[in-house]
Structures are given as C-alpha cells and as structure tokens.
Amino acid sequence: MATSSSQQPAASQGPKKHFVIVGGSLGGLATGLALKELGHDTTILERNPVPLLQDQGAGIVAGGDTLAFFKRYNRCDRPFAVRSDARVYLDKDGNVVHLEEMEQNMTSWDLAYYLLRANYDGIESPYCKVPNPVPGDGKATHLHDRQVTGFEDEGDGIRVFWKTSKGEEGSTYGDILIGADGPSSTVRKILEPDVQRKYAGYCALRGTLAESTASMAAREAFSHKFTFFHGPGVQILAYLIPGKDGTVEPGQRLINFVYYTNFPEGSTEFEEIMTDRNGRRRQITIPPGVMDMNAWEKQRELARERLPPQFAEIVCGTDKPFVQAVTDVLTPRNEYMDGKIVLIGDALAGFRPHTVASTSQAAFDAMLYADYVAGKVSREEWKKESMGFARYIHKRGVTMGERSQHQDLPLQEHIYDRNRASVPREQEVYPDWAIAV
C-alpha cells in the first residue's frame, strides 16, 4: 500500500462530494462502498436492465488485496472463501508430478457480489443478512438500466448522460465520474477512442461441477488444492469455490475450472465457440446457460483426448459452461479533466486471467482511491501506485499467456511463472516505465 505523504492531495477531506460511478459489478461496488464509508454520496449507473446482475458462475482466487478489502469493509458475518492448501500439477495420465504447499483462498463471483450489495445498498439475499446502517455513511444509490452515452464538464462537476432499454433519456450530476465499467468500458471509449480491446488468440472455457457429483478421483485432485495441467496450446486449472448461496460446507461446494485453449481469430472453430444457441455471434463472452451445446460437445470430445481424466470429468460434467475470449486492453492514464474523471479496475487495464489479479486490482484501486480522497496519500502516489500495478500486471499477463499458449516450455517454466505472479503486490518493485505519470 502506498504510504502517507506530507503533500496535500487535491481531493483531501473536506465537503461531502457526490461520486457518479459507471458500472455496478465488483469494481464499481467496491469503489462505492469505500467512498460511502468516508461519508460521500455515490450513485452507481449500471447498464444491465435488471436490478441484480446475473450469477456469473465464476470462481475467484481471492488475492491479498481482495482479502484486505473485505476485511476492511465487509460487515456481513459469514465465511467468504474456501481455503486451498497446496498447488498441484498433474501429467496427462492424472498423476501428481509436482506439489508445493501454498495457502490461498478461493471464492465465487456471486458471493462477492451479494456481500458487496448487502454492504453498499442493503440488498437482502440468501447469501447474507444486511448489516445495520452506520451513522455518518454517505448515501448509496444503485440505478440499473442506465446505459451511459456521454458526459460533459458542468461548473465544478460533471454531468453524465444515460438512456434506458426503453429509450428514456436522462442525466446524473456529480462532482467526480468514476469509470468502473469493465474492460469494454464506455467511459474509456469516449476518452480514448484509439484504445481497443484486442483478442489474444485463445479462449477460457469455464464452468463448475457440484462437489457431491464428482468421482472420488476428482474430489481428491481438487479438494483444498489449486490444481493445474499444461499441454501443447492447452492449460487448465481447477479449485473449490463456495456453492449455492455461498455455502462453504464440505460436499455442497463447487469445483470451478478454467480451461484455456487456442482458437485462431477468424477460424471456423472460433466462430463456432463464440456463437450462442440462438445463433447470435457474441463478441467477448458466451454467458452461462446460452452455450450452443453442439459446439460444447466438440469441446467435451477434445477434453477427453487432451486432458487428465480428473479434468476431463469436470469439463464434460458441467451443465452450464461459458466462454470468455481472452483479451488485452490498457489505458495510458487513470484520470482525466483534472481529476473529474477517474478509471479503475478493468476499465483501466483488462488483465489476462492467468494473473488472477482482476478482482485484486478492483479492490486495490478502490482502497487506494478512497485513501487519496481521504487525504492519506498524495495525488502523485495514487497515480503511481494505480498505474504501476495496471501496467506491470498487464505486461505480466501477456507474457504468461504467450508462454503458456504459444510456446512449448517445460513444466518448470510454467511453475516459475505462476509463483512469480503470486508475489504479494506490496513486495513488487515496479520499473520506471510502469510508474511514469
């Protein structure tokens, strides 16, 4: 974490501000919650037409910053993650060829989301009870069905324009606009139209399998372990995550997998895997529940050929697979209009998932920006820390992906890459090119 400075930040503690946050997923909610605790008012504009985001069905490796964020801001009294005690590497026959003890914590997107909603705007759910209000907290407003179309400087603040799925148009005025709307950020596209999200040549095939339905061999391979397999153009990993309504009870959890495999851009295979069951060609993601199961059956056949049996079992057994095209995007800076517009999380830099750092970036950016607003760090420190993390981990993700998917390397090289990526952020020393602001 950045340290305090005697330099007076431009956004130091003072009058209550109103922050307009574009994007209501984890990054936007984390930022809103951190600013709310400082006493500032926040309004989240989420483009999704329904009040709650769809369960993404995805696992999250909860890194140090993610754990620190929830320790700092989460007031729901319930377990947050499933513990993993070791990293394990299998060969093609399913035998353990490398094991090293390493404690990590694995959670799920849906549990993180509902914990954030409970703490931010008091959404009740089976995941947790809503904590009591805290005197002095700012007002938290969450508006769904708000697709941002633009913004303009207005007096001492900024006006954000939006439209709904029914064609209604309106605007929201605030002191500061925060773009937390993901790697396909609308805010970033308006500010930096030349910064494009680019396909990296492979996809992450994802899904879960109920722990209770897995074979003994699969449960042994993935229970409290972070397990991997590498093959030519293929990488797959799996671990346990919380189950229905966030339960962490043994036997009720889920085995989550991420299966990277190459799909050259423009190939028939790529077009097929990115076209859903209704014939709609998706650009980045096939969500859970809309996969063309004929296309998925081909992937099941390939999994049986390519993967160790424990991994093939969970890939073939999942009933709601989904696909994410792996992409790269990096914004050159994190603030615009002299600080009236700020980018955080994936809107600032979309990491390849090998880094397991996307949620940690959102948590870190939220905490760091809140510390800047509170006057605990200077503007220069905030910018250097945020941009240093964004640029450095972005480059690491590209390198890891290229080595994993497009180079024939011995297993020890992949183990080294993954261990290097696990160095705690506060122990990293960013090179000059990463922290130039």
Side-chain angles (χ1 to χ4, degrees):
M1 199 80 176
T3 55
S4 298
S5 168
S6 59
Q7 178 183 344
Q8 182 69 12
S12 61
Q13 285 180 310
K16 177 186 289 189
K17 294 182 182 295
H18 178 211
F19 293 83
V20 180
I21 301 170
V22 180
S25 190
L26 304 188
L29 289 168
T31 306
L33 179 55
L35 293 170
K36 168 189 169 181
E37 191 185 76
L38 293 177
H40 298 290
D41 294 340
T42 58
T43 298
I44 287 178
L45 303 177
E46 167 54 45
R47 67 181 179 182
N48 197 292
V50 296
L52 296 171
L53 293 184
Q54 178 189 12
D55 178 5
Q56 304 294 301
I60 294 172
V61 178
D65 287 307
T66 302
L67 296 174
F69 180 91
F70 278 90
K71 182 177 181 180
R72 184 168 166 179
Y73 295 108
N74 174 40
R75 294 187 296 111
C76 297
D77 185 18
R78 58 144 302 146
F80 172 61
V82 177
R83 192 187 74 252
S84 173
D85 297 318
R87 286 184 176 176
V88 177
Y89 293 80
L90 305 182
D91 65 15
K92 175 67 169 57
D93 295 324
N95 301 310
V96 175
V97 292
H98 182 82
L99 182 150
E100 53 189 59
E101 294 182 359
M102 180 177 292
E103 184 174 325
Q104 293 182 267
N105 292 273
M106 316 311 204
T107 191
S108 61
W109 184 94
D110 56 305
L111 177 54
Y113 176 78
Y114 282 102
L115 287 175
L116 289 170
R117 288 301 300 266
N119 284 279
Y120 174 69
D121 61 333
I123 293 297
E124 190 82 44
S125 75
Y127 291 82
C128 61
K129 294 181 179 179
V130 175
N132 293 326
V134 175
D137 275 3
K139 181 181 179 182
T141 303
H142 187 288
L143 302 176
H144 65 280
D145 198 16
R146 301 294 194 276
Q147 173 64 60
V148 169
T149 57
F151 41 80
E152 63 181 31
D153 197 3
E154 183 176 313
D156 293 332
I158 187 166
R159 184 165 296 279
V160 184
F161 299 93
W162 46 259
K163 66 178 179 180
T164 70
S165 58
K166 296 179 180 179
E168 300 167 348
E169 297 184 353
S171 67
T172 302
Y173 179 83
D175 296 290
I176 293 174
L177 165 62
I178 297 177
D181 47 343
S184 294
S185 169
T186 297
V187 176
R188 187 192 63 242
K189 287 177 181 177
I190 295 171
L191 295 168
E192 299 278 3
D194 293 333
V195 175
Q196 300 292 322
R197 191 177 181 184
K198 297 180 180 179
Y199 177 56
Y202 59 102
C203 293
L205 313 183
R206 306 192 64 169
T208 59
L209 181 70
E211 179 185 21
S212 60
T213 66
S215 68
M216 183 65 72
R219 292 199 299 271
E220 172 60 26
F222 308 121
S223 182
H224 296 288
K225 300 181 183 74
F226 195 0
T227 307
F228 302 86
F229 169 72
H230 285 267
V234 168
Q235 178 195 163
I236 187 167
L237 56 89
Y239 49 85
L240 286 177
I241 62 172
K244 179 177 172 57
D245 298 335
T247 181
V248 296
E249 288 298 313
Q252 300 179 38
R253 301 165 297 191
L254 299 173
I255 303 172
N256 173 81
F257 70 83
V258 185
Y259 173 23
Y260 301 102
T261 185
N262 294 346
F263 292 92
E265 188 167 14
S267 66
T268 301
E269 294 79 10
F270 182 54
E271 294 303 310
E272 184 178 65
I273 201 67
M274 295 305 298
T275 301
D276 68 21
R277 66 185 183 189
N278 300 313
R280 176 184 170 189
R281 170 58 162 85
R282 303 281 184 141
Q283 292 303 306
I284 302 294
T285 302
I286 301 279
V290 298
M291 169 67 69
D292 179 347
M293 295 312 289
N294 290 324
W296 186 250
E297 183 56 40
K298 292 183 180 179
Q299 297 307 313
R300 284 175 170 154
E301 293 174 5
L302 288 171
R304 295 185 189 101
E305 296 174 9
R306 296 172 170 176
L307 302 179
Q310 302 97 318
F311 277 114
E313 176 185 334
I314 59 175
V315 171
C316 294
T318 188
D319 59 357
K320 286 189 177 180
F322 63 107
V323 177
Q324 295 173 322
V326 176
T327 61
D328 298 309
V329 66
L330 177 63
T331 316
R333 53 198 180 108
N334 64 348
E335 71 164 351
Y336 297 81
M337 291 175 57
D338 197 29
K340 284 188 179 182
I341 302 177
V342 172
L343 298 180
I344 67 105
D346 288 341
L348 176 62
F351 300 149
R352 297 196 191 187
H354 311 281
T355 63
V356 295
S358 180
T359 305
S360 285
Q361 180 193 27
F364 174 60
D365 279 352
M367 291 188 292
L368 182 65
Y369 185 67
D371 284 348
Y372 165 54
V373 171
K376 295 180 179 179
V377 299
S378 71
R379 180 182 183 185
E380 182 181 12
E381 287 174 307
W382 160 59
K383 293 178 71 171
K384 282 186 174 182
E385 289 286 330
S386 178
M387 290 307 305
F389 187 84
R391 292 167 178 156
Y392 191 64
I393 304 303
H394 176 269
K395 184 177 187 297
R396 172 180 288 165
V398 172
T399 300
M400 288 181 69
E402 294 306 302
R403 282 165 61 84
S404 172
Q405 298 304 124
H406 303 301
Q407 297 181 27
D408 184 15
L409 299 175
L411 177 60
Q412 205 60 37
E413 291 288 311
H414 300 304
I415 294 170
Y416 170 82
D417 285 349
R418 190 159 290 108
N419 289 348
R420 184 66 188 85
S422 299
V423 172
R425 175 194 47 77
E426 57 271 19
Q427 295 179 18
E428 296 281 13
V429 178
Y430 300 139
D432 289 344
W433 58 262
I435 59 175
V437 293

